[in-house]
């Protein structure tokens, strides 16, 4: 046995010698894997590589190429709107062209009636009779009131001389002051005047209440609207009668407000134009009708 290499047989080309391989860098030793601390909240590890034992998914064939879409047809609504707009424009243009070719039409002249005057002079008497009648009573109502008689005294805080009174003071004389206050203001109340006095145990009040010119009917309502069983206190054309006034006396006594004291009541009312006349008597004994009639006559004579 020898250690020399065997020689190639004669006639055979020697094999080219293999170039020397470079020395590879020594491989780094694998890092020791440190077991991570197990956490109850650690997320599971996912991998994109399928497991070795998973079946290979079958690949779907590529979809065939789609043909290009045909152009969309115009919608019916769009066509209708376009037709309406185009028709309006074309119609307006044609109408304007036709109207522009026509000659202008002249307007008719303005017809105004000329003022006419009577051929004869107007009768002053007939013309005055056609005019609205003046108010039956106008001016200072205090001058139309009668005065307190001799020997009389003032009745509390009431005026013992003819004086103006407000609508509030007038409404306080009734049991329903709030209601009467509203009624007077809503029914054309204009003004009022009165005079009060006391003589012996009897108390007297005479008042004139005037309404607006267009509320003359309210004066009649104020005078006789709520009064029944009236007797005339004067005769003649200028006297009061059952139609526009009268008088009455109560046989039963009444009670003063918030008091146990009693009194007897007498009243006389009348209406002239827009003025309502009211005469009142309060006495501790039954009222004498002649006293009421006499006061009513005196006051009525100042109004006629």
């Amino acid at each position: 046995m020898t250690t020399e290499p065997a020689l190639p047989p004669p006639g055979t080309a020697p094999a080219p010698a293999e170039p020397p391989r470079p020395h590879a860098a020594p491989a780094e030793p694998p890092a020791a894997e440190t077991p991570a601390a197990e956490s109850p909240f650690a997320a599971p590890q996912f991998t994109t590589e399928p497991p070795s034992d998973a079946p290979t998914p079958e690949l779907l064939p590529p979809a065939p190429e789609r043909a290009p879409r045909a152009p969309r047809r115009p919608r019916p609504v769009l066509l209708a709107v376009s037709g309406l707009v185009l028709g309006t424009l074309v119609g307006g243009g044609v109408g304007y062209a036709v109207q522009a070719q026509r000659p202008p039409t002249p307007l008719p002249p303005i017809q105004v009636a000329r003022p006419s005057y009577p051929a004869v002079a107007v009768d002053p008497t007939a013309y005055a009779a056609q005019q609205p009648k003046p108010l039956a009573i106008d001016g200072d109502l205090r001058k139309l009131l009668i005065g307190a008689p001799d020997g009389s005294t003032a009745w509390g805080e009431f005026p013992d001389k003819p004086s103006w009174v407000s609508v509030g003071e007038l409404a306080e004389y009734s049991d329903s002051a709030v209601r009467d206050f509203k009624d007077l203001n809503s029914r054309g109340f204009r003004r009022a005047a009165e005079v009060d006095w006391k003589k012996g145990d009897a108390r007297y009040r005479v008042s004139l209440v005037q309404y607006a010119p267009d509320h003359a009917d309210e004066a009649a309502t104020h005078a006789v609207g709520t009064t029944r069983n009236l007797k005339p206190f004067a005769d003649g054309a200028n006297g009061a009668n059952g139609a526009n006034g009268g008088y009455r006396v109560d046989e039963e006594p009444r009670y003063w407000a918030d008091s146990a004291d009693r009194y007897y009541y007498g009243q006389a009312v009348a209406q002239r134009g827009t003025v309502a006349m009211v005469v009142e008597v309060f006495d501790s004994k039954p009222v004498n009708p002649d006293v009421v009639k006499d006061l009513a006559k005196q006051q009525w004579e100042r109004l006629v």
Side-chain angles (χ1 to χ4, degrees):
M1 175 177 282
T2 177
T3 59
E4 293 180 3
L7 296 177
T12 303
E18 185 178 1
R21 296 180 180 179
H23 298 281
E28 294 182 0
E33 296 183 359
T34 305
E38 296 183 359
S39 173
F41 302 99
Q45 299 297 328
F46 297 95
T47 178
T48 58
E49 297 182 359
S52 59
D53 56 351
T56 304
E58 296 182 359
L59 299 179
L60 298 176
E65 296 183 0
R66 300 178 60 181
R69 296 181 59 182
R72 298 179 60 182
R73 296 181 179 179
R75 296 182 178 179
V77 176
L78 182 59
L79 288 176
V81 173
S82 301
L84 289 175
V85 174
L86 184 60
T88 303
L89 295 176
V90 173
V94 172
Y96 177 80
V98 172
Q99 187 67 23
Q101 295 176 1
R102 293 178 179 177
T105 303
L107 297 176
I110 300 177
Q111 301 292 336
V112 178
R114 302 183 62 181
S116 59
Y117 301 95
V120 296
V122 178
D123 184 6
T125 304
Y127 180 78
Q130 296 176 359
Q131 301 305 311
K133 301 298 182 182
L135 296 177
I137 298 176
D138 202 4
D140 194 344
L141 294 180
R142 296 174 298 179
K143 297 179 180 181
L144 299 178
L145 282 170
I146 61 176
D150 297 335
S152 61
T153 58
W155 175 15
E157 298 180 353
F158 299 111
D160 58 346
K161 294 181 180 181
S163 306
W164 296 111
V165 291
S166 64
V167 61
E169 294 171 339
L170 200 64
E172 289 180 353
Y173 297 156
S174 65
D175 297 336
S176 302
V178 176
R179 182 193 62 191
D180 290 354
F181 181 81
K182 294 180 179 179
D183 289 346
L184 288 171
N185 283 283
S186 62
R187 294 180 179 179
F189 172 83
R190 181 182 176 189
R191 56 184 179 170
E194 78 173 38
V195 59
D196 301 81
W197 70 87
K198 179 179 178 183
K199 191 172 183 179
D201 294 336
R203 297 168 174 83
Y204 303 86
R205 173 177 295 149
V206 181
S207 58
L208 299 177
V209 181
Q210 189 170 25
Y211 290 82
D214 54 343
H215 289 77
D217 55 338
E218 297 296 342
T221 303
H222 185 99
V224 298
T226 58
T227 307
R228 300 291 184 272
N229 302 324
L230 294 177
K231 300 178 181 179
F233 58 78
D235 299 329
N238 294 332
N241 49 40
N244 69 344
Y247 82 96
R248 67 184 179 88
V249 292
D250 292 346
E251 298 180 356
E252 298 295 331
R254 303 183 182 186
Y255 288 91
W256 295 103
D258 301 330
S259 175
D261 297 337
R262 301 188 304 175
Y263 69 93
Y264 289 86
Y265 183 70
Q267 181 189 44
V269 294
Q271 177 254 337
R272 174 168 168 76
T274 59
V275 177
M277 179 196 83
V278 182
V279 177
E280 298 174 284
V281 180
F282 311 83
D283 202 345
S284 58
K285 58 183 181 297
V287 178
N288 186 354
D290 294 336
V291 175
V292 179
K293 291 171 59 177
D294 183 62
L295 289 176
K297 288 180 183 180
Q298 296 180 32
Q299 183 57 64
W300 180 256
E301 290 174 357
R302 287 176 168 263
L303 301 179
V304 296

